[in-house]
Amino acid sequence: MSHTAHHRPSALYALPAFGFFALFAALPMVLVVYLSFTSWGGLGLPEPNGLQNWSRLLNDEAALASMWRTALFTALAWAAQTPIALLIGVWAAGRQRNRAVLSSLFFLPLLLSTAAIALLWQALLDPNFGITQAGPLGGILFLGDPAIALYTVVFVITWQYVPFHTLLYQGAARTIPASLYDSATLDGAGRFKQFWHITLPQLRYTIITSSILMVVGTLTTFETVLILTGGGPGTATRIAPLHMYITGFSGFEMGYASTIAVLLVVFGTGLSLLVMRISRFRSMSSQQEGL
Amino acid sequence: MAMLRRSWKRPLAAMGLATAMALVSACGTSGPAGAGDGIEVWALQDDVLNPIEKASIESFNAEGGNASLQTFGNDPYKQKLRVALGSPNAPDVFFNWGGGNLAEYVDAGRVADLTPMLEENPELKEAFIPSVLDAAKIDDKYYGVPMRGMQPVVLYYNKAVFRDAGVQPPETWEDLVSLVDTFKSEGVQPIALAGSQAWTELMWAEYLLDRIGGPEVFQKIRAGEPDAWRQPAVIESMTKIEELVQQGAFGDDYASVGYDVGGASTILAQGDAAMHLMGSWEYVNQLGQSPEFVERGDLGWVPFPSVAGGEGDPGNVVGNPTNFYSVSADSEAQDSAKEFVSTQLHEPEYVQDLIDAGDVPAVTGVEDKLADAPNSEYTTWIYELVQQAPNFQLSWDQDLPADEATFMLTQLQELFLGNLSPQAFADSLAKR
C-alpha cells in the first residue's frame, strides 16, 4: 500500500460508514436490548418486566432446542463448505483456459437471489412434482422427513455460498508467489506436498476470513429456511433466527423475541472473537517473509 | 384470498432479522398522517377486492363523505395496524379478521362499540347473516361489520376417482375411515394434505373438535379457562387425527407438501388423491390452476362428515366467517366512520360487485343474485351451508391470541408428524 504513517486518511473518512453503522446496526441493537427487558405485543408501549424474558428463555425448551439446532447447523454448514470452496478455489486459481471457463460456471449461483434459490430447490425437491423423485433418489423425502430436512437445508446453503468462498480462495491462491512452488518443485515436493506445505499455510488468513463469514452468515440464515421448510417438518429445521421471527412476527411477543435476538448477537460476536482468538489474528504477520 | 392471507412471501418484505424489531417501533412515527376531517380506511392489497372497495368509497364520497383508502400487504399490515392503533396515526376504519385478533384491540380499548349503531338500525343488523356477524362479537358487543365473502371449510373430492372406486362421498366419520382403506387398496392417496403449512392441518382439528364436543369446548379454550385444552373432547379429536395419520390417510409425504405452491390442490385435480379439506377459496383456486378439472364437473364438495355420538351439530361450519371493517375508538371522525360502515357494506352495487368477483357475501337475501352469477351451483351451496349453520367457528389461529396460536400450530404439526401424543399435545398447551 502507498499510504504511510504520515499520510493516513483523516478520521472524517470513516464518518459515513460510522453514521450508517450507528443508525442501522448500533441503534437497533440498543433498542433490541431495551425491548428484551420488556413485554410488548406491538400494541401501545413496551412495558418493562425486568428479567422475566430471560428467565423464561432459560426454561424454554423450544428456544434452547432452536439454539442447539443453530449450532449444529452452523457446524455442518462450515464443515461442508470449507473443503469444497478451498479445493475448487485453489483449482480455479490456475491460469489454464478450461479452468477459467468452468469456474465462471461455478460462480453462477452467486448471481441468484436467496429467495430464488430457495424456491428453486423447493420445486426440485417437491415430493410430488420434484425432479429428484424421478431419479434413484425417488422416495426420499428431502424436505418432509424430520431426520433429513436439516441436512437438505445445509446442502442448499452450501450450493449457494460455496461459489462466494471459492472466489475468496481463488483470489488468495493467485497471490501466492510462483517462486515458492518453483523452489518446492526443485526440492522434489509433489503436488500433495506443495498443497499441504505451501498453499494451505499461505491461505491461512483467507481460511479464517472465510470461516468467520460462514459462521456468522449461517448463524443468521433466515430466508432460505423460511421458504424451503418454514422451520418444519414440525420444528426439525427451526433454527434460532427463524424461531425469533416466528415469536416476534407471528406470536407478536416482541419483547421475548428481542431476548432471543440479543442472545444471537452475543453468540455471533462471541463466535467471531473466538475464531480470531484461536487463530491468533492479533499476532498476524506476513506469511511471505524473505520475499 | 387464502393465498394472500397465508402467503410466506410477505414476511420477506418485512425481513431484516434483529433490526426488524426496531424498525417496527419506527413505523409508529412514519405512518401516513390522518386525512384531516376525512376518514381513512385501511385494507389489504388485493387485485380483485381493491377496485370494489374503491367504488364503495367513491359512492360514499359522492353522498358528501370524505374517505380515502390505504392498502397494505398481508403481514406488513398486521404489524402496521398493531403499532398504528392507539397512535395519533390510527386509521378511522380498518380491515380485520374478527375473533381473538380483534379482541386484543378491543381489550386495549382501541375499537369503537358498534352495538348501539346496529341496535338502533335493525334493518342494518338483519342485512347480515347472524352467525357471521357474531364472529366480530366480543363480550356481547359488536365491533365489526362484514365487508366481504364467507369462507367456510368444506371437503372437496374428485368425482372421477370416487366413480372409479364405485363409492360415495362420506357422510359420517365411519364412512371416511372406510373410504381411506378403499382408496389405499386402489393405490390412490385417500386425502391430500398440504402439511408443510400447519393451518391446513388445523382444519381437521377444528372440525373434529366441533363435531365431537360442540362449539362450547373451544369457547372455553378461547376464554382461557384453566385446563381447557385438557377437556376429553380435545383428546378424543386429536386421537382421531392420530389414527387417521397412522392409517395412512394422508400418504407419507404430506409434511413437505405446500398449499401456496399448489401441491395438495394439484394431486386432487390429477386424481392422485381422492379428497381435500380446504377453505371455500379452493374452488376459485382449482378454477385457476386446473380449469379442465372443474369444467369436466369432476370437482365435488360435501360438508365435513358427522361424528356418531358427537355433541356438535353436524351443520356447524369452521373457517373464516368473513372479514370485517371496524371503527377506531380514537378516531376524530368517528361519526363519519360509522356512517361509512353502516351505509356502504350492504349496498346492492357493493354486494353485486362482490358476487361478480366470485365471493359469497355475508348478506341476507342474495339467493337470486347468486343464481344469476357464474358458478352459481357452488356459490349457492356455500351460501346455504353457512346460512343454515347454527355456529360458524372462526379459524383457531385467528381466534386465539397470536402467541398461543403460534405455539398451537407448532404443536399440531408435531402431532401430525407423530412426535406428540394427543395427551402430550393437550398437556403442552394447557401448561403454557
Side-chain angles (χ1 to χ4, degrees):
Chain A
M1 299 296 263
S2 61
H3 293 299
T4 65
H6 304 291
H7 293 93
R8 291 178 69 139
S10 112
L12 273 179
Y13 283 38
L15 204 60
F18 181 78
F20 241 79
F21 182 78
L23 192 63
F24 293 110
L27 180 69
M29 231 184 286
V30 171
L31 287 174
V32 164
V33 171
Y34 164 70
L35 283 179
S36 74
F37 294 100
T38 65
S39 155
W40 188 42
L43 266 181
L45 295 171
E47 283 170 26
N49 66 354
L51 290 171
Q52 265 179 42
N53 291 336
W54 289 93
S55 61
R56 178 176 160 194
L57 185 63
L58 290 179
N59 298 309
D60 185 347
E61 280 171 37
L64 296 178
S66 78
M67 288 286 171
W68 279 117
R69 213 170 284 125
T70 308
L72 175 68
F73 179 61
T74 307
L76 286 172
W78 180 84
Q81 289 178 67
T82 303
I84 300 176
L86 182 66
L87 289 175
I88 301 183
V90 171
W91 178 84
R95 305 284 177 180
Q96 294 88 332
R97 179 163 294 175
N98 69 330
R99 295 192 182 185
V101 174
L102 282 173
S103 11
S104 56
L105 287 178
F106 286 156
F107 296 148
L108 270 181
L110 216 49
L111 301 175
L112 303 175
S113 79
T114 308
I117 289 173
L119 282 174
L120 175 80
W121 281 104
Q122 190 188 38
L124 291 176
L125 298 171
D126 187 284
N128 290 303
F129 313 106
I131 199 161
T132 48
Q133 295 306 314
L137 296 176
I140 299 180
L141 301 171
F142 290 100
L143 297 172
D145 187 335
I148 299 179
L150 189 71
Y151 298 96
T152 308
V153 177
V154 169
F155 169 77
V156 173
I157 293 271
T158 303
W159 187 85
Q160 179 180 7
Y161 288 108
V162 155
F164 172 73
H165 295 280
T166 302
L167 206 58
L168 290 183
Y169 285 118
Q170 185 198 33
R174 280 192 173 164
T175 64
I176 302 174
S179 54
L180 288 177
Y181 293 106
D182 294 342
S183 57
T185 312
L186 285 180
D187 291 342
R191 277 191 137 173
F192 179 76
K193 278 202 161 165
Q194 287 187 11
F195 176 79
W196 195 253
H197 292 290
I198 301 173
T199 314
L200 265 190
Q202 289 287 331
L203 289 178
R204 187 172 155 205
Y205 295 126
T206 313
I207 296 176
I208 294 165
T209 309
S210 143
S211 296
I212 292 178
L213 288 174
M214 267 179 211
V215 166
V216 176
T218 316
L219 216 52
T220 53
T221 298
F222 172 71
E223 5 17 335
T224 311
V225 188
L226 178 73
I227 297 172
L228 210 52
T229 65
T235 53
T237 56
R238 195 188 277 192
I239 50 175
L242 191 66
H243 188 63
M244 173 192 76
Y245 172 82
I246 291 171
T247 308
F249 290 102
S250 297
F252 286 109
E253 297 182 274
M254 295 291 182
Y256 187 49
S258 299
T259 314
I260 303 173
V262 171
L263 201 63
L264 267 175
V265 170
V266 172
F267 255 39
T269 318
L271 255 173
S272 21
L273 286 177
L274 190 73
V275 174
M276 287 213 229
R277 174 59 65 89
I278 290 174
S279 57
R280 276 174 271 147
F281 203 75
R282 282 168 195 281
S283 60
M284 195 186 236
S285 54
S286 169
Q287 291 287 292
Q288 302 182 2
E289 272 164 297
L291 281 170
Chain B
M1 298 199 258
M3 313 291 278
L4 234 179
R5 184 162 90 77
R6 317 274 196 173
S7 175
W8 45 262
K9 285 166 193 130
R10 308 287 163 182
L12 285 181
M15 238 173 41
L17 298 180
T19 52
M21 302 283 158
L23 284 177
V24 166
S25 63
C27 288
T29 50
S30 63
D37 285 317
I39 58 167
E40 199 166 284
V41 181
W42 280 17
L44 283 194
Q45 269 164 20
D46 186 318
D47 291 344
V48 177
L49 230 53
N50 289 160
I52 302 174
E53 290 158 354
K54 276 209 187 83
S56 77
I57 280 180
E58 276 158 20
S59 106
F60 178 66
N61 289 350
E63 290 158 21
N66 178 14
S68 61
L69 181 72
Q70 287 252 359
T71 60
F72 306 89
N74 185 51
D75 281 14
Y77 176 73
K78 288 181 184 164
Q79 291 152 21
K80 215 172 174 78
L81 185 66
R82 260 186 122 81
V83 179
L85 281 180
S87 83
N89 299 318
D92 302 284
V93 174
F94 62 94
F95 171 103
N96 63 79
W97 291 264
N101 171 281
L102 181 61
E104 280 186 83
Y105 299 132
V106 170
D107 290 344
R110 309 289 190 215
V111 191
D113 179 7
L114 301 179
T115 320
M117 181 184 92
L118 286 163
E119 298 298 341
E120 284 161 24
N121 196 347
E123 202 179 301
L124 172 68
K125 191 177 172 187
E126 282 155 19
F128 299 101
I129 295 177
S131 67
V132 175
L133 200 56
D134 280 357
K137 189 162 140 186
I138 291 145
D139 296 335
D140 284 329
K141 288 178 185 154
Y142 292 100
Y143 289 96
V145 181
M147 51 77 70
R148 66 168 300 183
M150 310 181 287
Q151 302 178 333
V153 172
V154 302
L155 187 65
Y156 294 89
Y157 67 100
N158 187 321
K159 284 183 183 168
V161 173
F162 271 71
R163 245 190 334 263
D164 291 346
V167 287
Q168 295 296 313
E171 285 176 11
T172 66
W173 188 255
E174 286 72 44
D175 292 350
L176 184 83
V177 170
S178 78
L179 281 173
V180 168
D181 285 335
T182 309
F183 287 119
K184 270 176 70 186
S185 62
E186 296 270 321
V188 174
Q189 182 177 322
I191 304 168
L193 177 69
S196 73
Q197 290 165 297
W199 57 267
T200 63
E201 300 174 335
L202 181 62
M203 294 170 169
W204 286 93
E206 289 163 352
Y207 258 131
L208 275 169
L209 186 61
D210 197 285
R211 292 284 186 271
I212 291 171
E216 300 75 22
V217 177
F218 184 74
Q219 276 157 17
K220 278 186 190 155
I221 292 172
R222 185 184 141 179
E225 288 184 22
D227 278 346
W229 278 108
R230 288 196 175 107
Q231 291 172 89
V234 176
I235 312 276
E236 202 184 325
S237 321
M238 297 304 149
T239 307
K240 282 225 169 4
I241 288 179
E242 191 183 40
E243 288 165 1
L244 208 57
V245 171
Q246 285 169 355
Q247 201 188 348
F250 304 109
D252 51 12
D253 61 7
Y254 57 89
S256 48
V257 176
Y259 185 76
D260 288 348
V261 291
S265 306
T266 311
I267 57 175
L268 180 77
Q270 292 180 346
D272 295 328
M275 295 173 271
H276 185 203
L277 187 66
M278 198 25 76
S280 63
W281 56 80
E282 175 71 355
Y283 183 90
V284 180
N285 194 29
Q286 289 283 9
L287 205 54
Q289 276 187 7
S290 316
E292 65 296 339
F293 169 55
V294 184
E295 280 152 17
R296 265 202 316 268
D298 279 348
L299 176 65
W301 49 84
V302 286
F304 191 84
S306 62
V307 175
E311 302 277 328
D313 190 311
N316 286 348
V317 289
V318 308
N320 300 328
T322 189
N323 295 124
F324 297 91
Y325 271 149
S326 294
V327 174
S328 165
D330 304 318
S331 167
E332 286 171 10
Q334 215 183 89
D335 290 341
S336 179
K338 284 181 178 166
E339 176 83 16
F340 172 74
V341 296
S342 64
T343 57
Q344 299 303 318
L345 305 178
H346 58 296
E347 278 273 292
E349 295 87 49
Y350 184 74
V351 173
Q352 187 64 51
D353 281 351
L354 285 178
I355 291 173
D356 291 344
D359 261 13
V360 183
V363 176
T364 49
V366 295
E367 289 88 346
D368 293 346
K369 283 182 178 170
L370 287 172
D372 292 340
N375 309 313
S376 58
E377 188 196 351
Y378 177 72
T379 53
T380 304
W381 185 80
I382 291 284
Y383 186 72
E384 284 169 359
L385 179 77
V386 177
Q387 211 181 23
Q388 288 155 15
N391 188 64
F392 196 147
Q393 172 59 49
L394 173 62
S395 302
W396 294 357
D397 55 344
Q398 301 290 334
D399 209 4
L400 291 171
D403 54 343
E404 190 179 0
T406 306
F407 182 68
M408 182 267 302
L409 287 174
T410 306
Q411 299 304 92
L412 191 67
Q413 258 187 324
E414 297 284 10
L415 178 90
F416 268 84
L417 283 173
N419 294 342
L420 270 187
S421 69
Q423 187 66 46
F425 170 85
D427 286 345
S428 70
L429 280 151
K431 267 190 298 197
R432 206 185 117 80

